[in-house]
């Protein structure tokens, strides 16, 4: 059986994702589609609007055969580590290709761009460092350095968000010499950052914005979602009483910062260059998460980077924890969240050839990444009013079958 | 000027306290009454129902001339350290006597009991250890050991809660050789642990219970409180939106335990003998603070002891922090919360003779106890909905004058 990997967040799972799934199956002819998905917290440093289990169900209903969870320490990271953890997970599970959506839609441009990048690597590094020394954020400095080394000449427009993401996947595959074929299909219509919904394909950002604002699934949102997502969104809201957003966590992370010592804050992953003082100083006056981040934000510390840092504060993830993945040769395990019958057939055949453990629950895990996973999950569910037991318990149950 | 010291919590300040103040003035003829008061959290491991500033105002309105704050690391401790910090604070501020309410009302019985205790100290220690080895809590083991060495023969009934407290004050004074005269007056009517209110003198426990249950000041409660307390209770509720009780903190301390590593939990002051595992294991199912403590409680770990431990978790107070006071020769500073004109006259004369700093705000404090004080205050106010700034800011303002 041939498997194709997808790198996803499904926050929430929408029609654009269905389009991506169907396009990927067509482009690769794969028998099995494997999605590696961020869990409780996402790459941009935000809590997922509904939990990973409910998102898994939506994905399995519309063409994904296997959903794997990207470990927290890869999921809530800059795009390089995010990409590395994702492609390594797909490699360990035996995917022979990955297929991602991009503005470009032409994989040869990505590989050409990689060649240019390789040849001019030292120029890239120098420019990157120069820009960062000026106080420019990493993503922006990297974009400028790409420009400087003439990556555009490869036909690659690295100002487009999905091209950037795709390039990081290609780079992760080629840097690590993985036997995975990268493929890309053109994303239709909606931009990643689109804020408004028009038509049946809308960006996840615009969908979340509407959902959180209305606390309801409006007509406009409903047409952009598969039926199963609508169902899972309602089911989650009924069970948990909430769709998660950062403001729900403000009181917890604020309490936490208020009672941490400066040394403890400085030990958190991502807190560097005296940022602990800035976070502490701004805490006293903060009355909302939005206001707080706005006060800390600089050219160098972008909103996204700060959000990731605040997720690490919330989940108590330290530099020592993060060191586990920074030098790891590959992911420590592959965690199965859910599968279809096709997915199960694939895994039965694949299991014995795997080089890392395939796990389906957090129970009894002694790997330190699993302890971090558990903390992240606990922190995620902490805002649910009343009894949280059944939510924690999902982490101990067998994978979802659909 | 002669000053008499009172050791208090005023949670809240009630008619029994007024009786104690007037009795103390009569018994000592002191020109100035100085109360050393627990701040945000109390000796039994509970948050104060309203903050220390509002309690200070109530006390100053009815005969106390100076209110000092007992540092957190003495306030939220077993009675021995609580008593030691209190009498040392009063000694540093120059009180020549202390006056406490007791069931006994006869100071000679306390000093006789201390003599017996001194003579039979090794027998006391042996019995104490034996009882504790059987899994009996410290307070109960100590009571049994007092019985065994025949302390009752001194005429002292150490089954009565206020006699026990008073004995710990007398012991702290005599153990440390302080030049303070201990005096006692008989407590009228209500027992410390009384749960119901009858008449104008009611226990603080029964008053709090009623206040928290009704979320209102009932007629029965009102008659047990000085007018200024009623006023301060309402003012606080208007400003902060809450009268504090443990359940308000459940979501914070639960989140905290859920995201702490076992090592971090084991580093908290009071967490010994593998208690971290028990706290972690019971956390998953806990749906309220009351239920949680009930699940952890054993003969050895009494409710009060566990509550103190949970305050230390909430305020992030570690064994390293606690070590600051365990071997300290005296208190590191004296903190002034408020005073009357008489109090100010007394302090002006006294100030230059003091051996430790007299401070009135937490601003710029570099003493590590002040950092802990700040954390305790931040944790205390964390449950206030919305803007907390003005509450934190009280810690930086000049002392209350009344």
């Amino acid at each position: 059986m041939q498997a194709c990997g997808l790198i996803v967040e499904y926050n929430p799972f929408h029609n654009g994702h269905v389009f991506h799934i169907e396009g990927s199956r067509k482009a690769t002819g794969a028998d099995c589609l494997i999605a590696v998905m961020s869990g409780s917290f996402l790459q941009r440093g935000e809590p997922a609007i509904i939990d990973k289990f409910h998102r898994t169900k939506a994905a399995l209903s519309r063409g994904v055969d296997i959903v794997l969870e990207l470990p927290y320490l890869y999921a809530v990271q800059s795009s390089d580590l995010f990409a590395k953890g994702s492609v390594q997970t797909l490699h360990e599970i035996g995917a022979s290709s990955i297929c991602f959506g991009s503005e470009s839609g032409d994989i040869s441009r990505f590989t050409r761009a990689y060649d240019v990048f390789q040849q001019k690597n030292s120029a890239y590094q120098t420019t990157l460092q120069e820009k960062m020394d000026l106080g420019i954020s990493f993503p922006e400095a990297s974009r400028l350095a790409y420009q400087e080394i003439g990556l555009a000449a490869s036909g690659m427009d690295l100002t487009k968000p999905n091209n950037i993401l795709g390039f990081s996947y290609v780079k992760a595959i080629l840097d690590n010499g993985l036997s995975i074929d990268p493929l890309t299909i053109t994303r239709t219509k909606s931009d990643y950052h689109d804020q408004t919904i028009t038509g049946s394909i809308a960006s996840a950002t615009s969908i979340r914005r509407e959902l959180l604002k209305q606390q309801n699934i409006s007509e406009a949102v409903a047409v952009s979602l598969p039926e199963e997502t609508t169902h899972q969104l309602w089911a989650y809201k009924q069970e948990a009483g909430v769709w998660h957003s950062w403001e729900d966590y403000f009181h917890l992370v604020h309490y936490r910062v208020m009672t941490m010592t400066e040394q403890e804050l400085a030990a958190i992953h991502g807190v560097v260059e005296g940022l602990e003082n800035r976070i502490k100083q701004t805490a006293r006056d903060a009355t909302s998460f939005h206001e707080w981040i706005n006060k800390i934000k600089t050219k160098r510390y972008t909103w996204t980077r700060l959000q990731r840092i605040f997720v690490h504060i919330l989940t108590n993830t330290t530099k020592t924890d993060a060191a586990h993945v920074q030098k790891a040769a590959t992911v420590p395990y592959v965690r199965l969240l859910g599968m279809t019958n096709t997915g199960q057939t694939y895994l039965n055949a694949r299991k014995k050839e795997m080089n890392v453990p395939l796990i389906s629950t957090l129970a009894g895990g002694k790997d330190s990444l699993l302890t971090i996973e558990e903390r992240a999950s606990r922190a995620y569910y902490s805002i649910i009013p009343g009894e949280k037991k059944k939510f924690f318990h999902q982490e101990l149950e067998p994978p979802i079958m659909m």
Side-chain angles (χ1 to χ4, degrees), chain A:
Chain A
M1 282 174 91
Q2 288 282 311
C4 169
L6 314 174
I7 298 168
V8 306
E9 300 209 303
Y10 293 161
N11 185 37
F13 184 74
H14 58 59
N15 288 342
H17 297 130
V18 177
F19 183 87
H20 173 223
I21 289 165
E22 288 167 358
S24 300
R25 200 178 284 276
K26 203 147 71 184
T28 61
D31 311 294
C32 180
L33 288 186
I34 306 177
V36 56
M37 183 179 82
S38 305
S40 304
F41 296 95
L42 308 173
Q43 200 259 330
R44 289 164 58 83
E46 285 173 354
I49 190 163
I50 57 173
D51 77 6
K52 55 195 170 194
F53 303 105
H54 290 71
R55 276 145 58 223
T56 294
K57 286 177 196 159
L60 292 176
S61 79
R62 288 302 292 270
V64 173
D65 296 304
I66 294 171
V67 180
L68 307 175
E69 181 178 9
L70 182 64
Y72 170 89
L73 269 179
Y74 290 101
V76 188
Q77 293 277 19
S78 62
S79 59
D80 277 7
L81 267 171
F82 174 84
K84 190 176 160 195
S86 299
V87 299
Q88 282 180 335
T89 299
L90 292 170
H91 174 71
E92 296 299 343
I93 204 74
S96 54
S97 63
I98 67 163
C99 185
F100 56 89
S102 65
E103 291 83 1
S104 156
D106 175 359
I107 197 66
S108 66
R109 296 191 185 185
F110 285 89
T111 46
R112 274 209 305 277
Y114 182 77
D115 290 341
V116 176
F117 175 73
Q118 281 289 79
Q119 286 153 21
K120 304 202 174 161
N121 195 15
S122 75
Y124 167 83
Q125 297 297 347
T126 310
T127 311
L128 181 72
Q129 198 51 56
E130 276 169 18
K131 301 294 178 192
M132 286 184 67
D133 288 348
L134 294 172
I136 295 171
S137 71
F138 173 81
E140 177 63 9
S142 174
R143 199 186 61 75
L144 292 169
Y146 284 152
Q147 216 165 48
E148 194 100 347
I149 63 170
L151 225 60
S154 65
M156 188 76 242
D157 181 359
L158 280 176
T159 63
K160 301 281 189 204
N162 290 285
N163 285 348
I164 296 175
L165 267 178
F167 185 65
S168 69
Y169 304 151
V170 172
K171 199 164 152 295
I173 291 170
L174 299 174
D175 279 350
N176 291 281
L178 303 179
S179 53
I180 293 184
D181 244 356
L183 289 159
T184 187
I185 53 176
T186 313
R187 274 174 72 97
T188 41
K189 292 201 215 159
S190 104
D191 192 313
Y192 185 79
H193 291 305
D194 267 2
Q195 302 282 329
T196 51
I197 300 182
T198 45
S200 68
I201 306 274
S203 74
T205 307
S206 64
I207 293 169
R208 281 197 307 278
R209 171 176 288 228
E210 274 298 293
L211 288 170
L212 293 172
K213 196 171 118 194
Q214 312 282 350
Q215 290 296 310
N216 201 341
I217 305 177
S218 67
E219 195 63 30
V221 168
V223 299
S224 70
L225 300 176
E227 212 173 304
E228 187 65 18
T229 297
T230 307
H231 176 67
Q232 294 300 332
L233 279 166
W234 278 133
Y236 192 79
K237 191 150 195 186
Q238 200 129 39
E239 292 164 36
V242 69
W243 288 332
H244 299 239
S245 78
W246 245 124
E247 291 301 343
D248 300 321
Y249 293 88
F250 170 65
H251 68 294
L252 292 181
V253 81
H254 188 253
Y255 151 74
R256 183 66 189 121
V257 165
M258 281 301 202
T259 54
M260 280 172 112
T261 64
E262 293 208 348
Q263 294 86 321
E264 284 171 326
L265 191 48
I268 294 294
H269 177 42
V271 177
V272 288
E273 303 163 351
L275 191 63
E276 64 275 16
N277 300 312
R278 206 172 159 80
I279 294 174
K280 277 255 173 201
Q281 278 155 16
T282 47
R284 203 156 62 196
D285 292 353
T287 61
S288 76
F289 183 73
H290 193 270
E291 182 194 317
W292 197 3
I293 300 287
N294 245 334
K295 276 196 188 124
I296 308 173
K297 199 172 56 114
T298 61
K299 211 164 35 157
R300 189 187 198 84
Y301 292 102
T302 60
W303 191 280
T304 302
R305 184 171 172 194
L306 288 171
Q307 280 198 148
R308 276 200 294 265
I309 289 171
F310 272 83
V311 172
H312 298 319
I313 296 174
L314 184 74
T315 57
N316 193 17
T317 304
T318 63
K319 294 184 168 82
T320 315
D321 294 331
H324 287 301
V325 305
Q326 264 140 356
K327 288 180 181 173
T330 186
V331 289
Y333 60 82
V334 171
R335 184 179 182 197
L336 176 63
L337 288 176
M339 56 191 164
T340 60
N341 288 333
T342 307
Q344 191 168 30
T345 309
Y346 175 85
L347 285 178
N348 283 342
R350 174 68 198 165
K351 237 184 301 191
K352 26 193 177 308
E353 294 169 55
M354 284 181 63
N355 296 315
V356 298
L358 177 68
I359 63 168
S360 61
T361 84
L362 294 186
K366 284 283 163 245
D367 188 283
S368 54
L369 246 65
L370 285 181
T371 327
I372 296 164
E373 222 53 40
E374 193 179 64
R375 283 212 305 276
S377 176
R378 301 261 191 264
Y380 179 76
Y381 292 120
S382 278
I383 59 155
I384 294 177
E387 193 158 322
K388 296 157 190 75
K389 191 170 146 184
K390 70 171 173 190
F391 297 95
F392 302 146
H393 203 264
Q394 296 174 103
E395 300 284 11
L396 309 176
E397 284 163 14
I400 293 159
M401 287 293 306
M402 261 178 104

